[in-house]
Amino acid sequence: MESDEYGGIRIFLERYPDAKVICSRLASRELPGLGVECDCVAADGDTVIEEGDISLKTITYPCEVHLQDGIIAYEQNSGILYSSDLMQSPGDGRDTVEECGYIPRAESISPVRIPNEKGLEDTKRKLASISPRFVAVGHGFCFVNADIM
C-alpha cells in the first residue's frame, strides 16, 4: 500500500473504467482515503478469482506498514506470479528478463523483507507450493523460472 503500487490506478481506471482493483483488505479500506474510487475486490490468502480465462490466486504475506497482510497474485493458467515488492531485485530491469531458479530466489527472501520469523517461514512455504513460469516483480528484473524450462 505504497504510492508506487497504487499510484497508477487512476490511469488504468480512466482507460478501463469497468476494471476491478484486486487488493488486500487493508488496501481496500485505504484507497478511498487516498481519493481512489473504484470497484474493489478485497482478497485474503487463498482467494481464487475466476473470470473468463483468468484464475487468479492471491497469497497473503506480512508486508509494508507494521507487517499487515499484503497480497501477491498468481495467475494459475498463465503461470505468472505478480510478486510486488516481495521478490524485487536491484537494478534497472527495463527491457531485460533474467532466467533463474524460482525456488532459490523464493528461499533467499530475507528478514529484511519480512522481519518476522514465523511470517517469513509461512510465506516461503506458500511460495514453495506454486511453480510459476514467469515472475513479474515490482522493482528490478522480472525472471523466467529456469527450474521448469
Side-chain angles (χ1 to χ4, degrees):
M1 199 48 232
E2 298 171 331
S3 61
D4 63 327
E5 273 95 27
Y6 75 82
I9 290 175
R10 285 187 187 95
I11 295 167
F12 281 101
L13 292 173
E14 286 173 12
R15 178 86 188 255
Y16 305 101
D18 296 329
K20 295 177 185 178
V21 174
I22 301 167
C23 58
S24 69
R25 292 201 182 279
L26 173 64
S28 72
R29 294 188 305 268
E30 296 278 331
L31 286 172
L34 298 167
V36 177
E37 297 297 327
C38 58
D39 183 3
C40 225
V41 177
D44 290 326
D46 298 325
T47 298
V48 176
I49 301 164
E50 294 185 332
E51 191 166 318
D53 292 340
I54 295 172
S55 179
L56 195 68
K57 176 182 179 173
T58 61
I59 300 167
T60 55
Y61 74 104
C63 69
E64 314 300 348
V65 182
H66 307 294
L67 296 175
Q68 302 257 0
D69 280 345
I71 62 169
I72 57 176
Y74 177 55
E75 205 297 301
Q76 299 177 105
N77 294 327
S78 66
I80 299 173
L81 174 63
Y82 299 92
S83 72
S84 186
D85 288 350
L86 188 58
M87 298 181 85
Q88 70 185 17
S89 61
D92 182 355
R94 287 180 286 182
D95 301 322
T96 304
V97 174
E98 294 183 328
E99 183 179 312
C100 66
Y102 165 75
I103 293 297
R105 185 84 172 262
E107 282 296 321
S108 73
I109 297 169
S110 74
V112 169
R113 186 82 32 228
I114 302 175
N116 173 284
E117 187 175 335
K118 181 180 181 328
L120 179 59
E121 292 309 313
D122 286 349
T123 300
K124 287 181 179 183
R125 180 184 46 74
K126 291 175 191 177
L127 292 173
S129 73
I130 62 174
S131 187
R133 290 194 251 320
F134 184 85
V135 179
V137 301
H139 303 279
F141 298 93
C142 295
F143 65 95
V144 173
N145 182 1
D147 296 335
I148 61 173
M149 293 186 72

